[in-house]
Amino acid sequence: MTDLGSNIIGIEEDRVTNTHSNDFPAYSQSIGSGWDLEAFKKKFQLNVSFITERTANFDLIGLDTSIANAYRRIMISEVPSVAIEYVYIFNNTSVIQDEVLSHRLGLVPLKVDPDLLTWVDQSADEKDKFTDENTIVLTLNVTCTKNPNATKGDNRPENLYRNSNVYARDLKFEPQGRQLETFKDHPVVPCDPDILLAKLRPGQEISLRAHCILGIGSDHAKFSPVATASYRLMPQINILQPITGQDALKFQECFPSGVIGINEKGEAFVKDPRKDTVSREVLRHERFKGKVTLGRVRDHFIYNVESTGAMTPEEIFFKSVRILRNKAEYIRNCPIGNVN
């Protein structure tokens, strides 16, 4: 077996090696000491591959798995966002039941800055629970009618009827109290206006009022600000012996496109290990036995964060860092034995 070093998880044909962990993050016998802040500062890196309005891909290098996974979990379940929680239905003559319609409404991501709202006091009386500081009101009033100007011969519902489809964009924001000023520069709208909520036919209508409040993903998935937040370890491919000619072409086919390149001498080389999925396909071929080793770098995490649209992905990540820091501060300041 090839010694991959304490920082590499070995990927073999039938097993994964060097997966042990320790009581101290990033500790190993080869280092000979526990966690050190100055050493961490020198090693830690944050490299951004790309960021868009909805998606971010970045690398965190030099972290222990426990911390890297904490960020992922916090982004999914503890970063607050705003969603519809209470639906008051006045009239619903569509084919969709009230509870199903309410569930669909709750899952519509809303473009609302959560920092502009406060948390609802669940212990308060019902009449005092919702205020202009903690609740956003949306209304939905849609009635389907026949289109008197329909084009003859066109039997599409969009042509025959008006309001045959009810979309998320039909939700209207009704400012309460000081919200007209608070949300003047931050209009409350669905992140994806074309989400289909219901289909209507002439004579059917939906009339309702919805209350939107702050929440976290651990209470309900609708409050999670991410569509997905995941990470994977950086793949490592070591070519131990030269691979040339037809073997180089076969070697290249064993990996996803762009991972292995072939130079002007016809020799295979590792072009971009980041694109590798560590499928182990190359380990199935006898011709490559002893010529290549696969692994993953233990402390190099490739994150992919997809926002639902309520917040930018970088804002979600920064908030997860702040939440973890606050947790650490709370534990550090708590007397021993009094941590809840």
Side-chain angles (χ1 to χ4, degrees):
M1 184 189 304
T2 304
D3 182 13
L4 297 172
S6 61
N7 200 40
I8 304 299
I9 296 174
I11 308 295
E12 299 185 10
E13 187 175 359
D14 57 351
R15 59 180 173 167
V16 179
T17 62
N18 201 29
T19 60
H20 65 279
S21 60
N22 305 278
D23 292 336
F24 295 97
Y27 171 81
S28 67
Q29 291 183 349
S30 61
I31 298 176
S33 60
W35 189 83
D36 181 79
L37 179 60
E38 293 304 317
F40 171 77
K41 288 180 179 179
K42 292 179 180 178
K43 189 176 181 181
F44 177 73
Q45 297 180 48
L46 193 161
N47 301 325
V48 179
S49 296
F50 64 84
I51 291 182
T52 65
E53 187 178 353
R54 292 286 187 98
T55 306
N57 188 275
F58 57 92
D59 294 11
L60 289 183
I61 305 172
L63 282 183
D64 183 73
T65 305
S66 59
I67 304 300
N69 194 46
Y71 288 142
R72 181 191 67 85
R73 292 173 64 94
I74 291 172
M75 283 189 281
I76 292 172
S77 63
E78 296 189 53
V79 174
S81 69
V82 178
I84 293 174
E85 176 73 356
Y86 302 94
V87 179
Y88 304 92
I89 297 178
F90 306 126
N91 194 11
N92 175 23
T93 56
S94 71
V95 296
I96 298 182
Q97 300 95 328
D98 292 354
E99 60 271 25
V100 176
L101 178 60
S102 300
H103 184 262
R104 291 178 69 85
L105 288 168
L107 293 175
V108 173
L110 301 174
K111 198 168 186 61
V112 182
D113 184 354
D115 296 332
L116 297 179
L117 292 181
T118 60
W119 291 89
V120 172
D121 183 3
Q122 298 295 343
S123 62
D125 292 337
E126 193 69 24
K127 59 183 175 60
D128 300 323
K129 183 182 292 187
F130 305 111
T131 69
D132 60 342
E133 294 182 348
N134 61 29
T135 304
I136 287 174
V137 177
L138 299 177
T139 59
L140 180 62
N141 296 288
V142 181
T143 301
C144 181
T145 60
K146 289 185 177 181
N147 180 12
N149 301 318
T151 303
K152 290 183 178 181
D154 188 348
N155 294 322
R156 293 177 303 159
E158 300 82 25
N159 175 60
L160 297 176
Y161 316 120
R162 290 175 175 172
N163 299 324
S164 61
N165 293 336
V166 183
Y167 294 100
R169 60 173 172 264
D170 295 318
L171 289 165
K172 304 303 180 184
F173 173 46
E174 284 196 359
Q176 308 293 312
R178 292 168 293 179
Q179 290 182 352
L180 194 61
E181 180 65 25
T182 304
F183 293 95
K184 180 178 62 175
D185 299 324
H186 307 275
V188 178
V189 294
C191 299
D192 299 292
D194 294 330
I195 295 177
L196 182 65
L197 300 177
K199 290 188 176 184
L200 302 180
R201 290 300 179 262
Q204 296 179 343
E205 66 174 297
I206 295 176
S207 179
L208 58 83
R209 182 184 178 95
H211 285 184
C212 316
I213 65 172
L214 276 176
I216 56 177
S218 59
D219 290 335
H220 194 287
K222 67 184 178 183
F223 290 115
S224 181
V226 295
T228 181
S230 62
Y231 67 78
R232 61 189 178 96
L233 295 178
M234 171 65 83
Q236 184 182 80
I237 305 167
N238 288 328
I239 299 177
L240 306 178
Q241 300 177 24
I243 301 174
T244 59
Q246 291 299 316
D247 283 354
L249 294 174
K250 182 63 178 178
F251 186 77
Q252 188 179 48
E253 292 175 357
C254 292
F255 297 87
S257 177
V259 175
I260 300 298
I262 299 177
N263 60 25
E264 61 277 3
K265 297 179 182 180
E267 185 175 323
F269 67 95
V270 181
K271 184 178 181 181
D272 187 358
R274 187 187 188 88
K275 295 180 179 179
D276 187 31
T277 58
V278 194
S279 67
R280 309 188 199 188
E281 170 66 19
V282 68
L283 301 180
R284 295 177 59 245
H285 301 277
E286 285 294 331
R287 68 176 82 177
F288 301 129
K289 294 287 185 181
K291 293 184 178 182
V292 61
T293 60
L294 304 180
R296 289 182 183 267
V297 183
R298 184 189 299 275
D299 62 352
H300 187 147
F301 302 91
I302 303 173
Y303 280 82
N304 191 67
V305 179
E306 296 180 19
S307 169
T308 60
M311 290 172 275
T312 59
E314 62 265 33
E315 183 181 358
I316 295 171
F317 176 70
F318 291 148
K319 286 187 175 182
S320 73
V321 174
R322 192 179 308 130
I323 290 171
L324 184 59
R325 183 185 64 188
N326 291 341
K327 287 175 178 284
E329 287 290 338
Y330 172 76
I331 293 175
R332 186 170 68 175
N333 294 329
C334 270
I336 297 176
N338 292 334
V339 178
N340 293 323

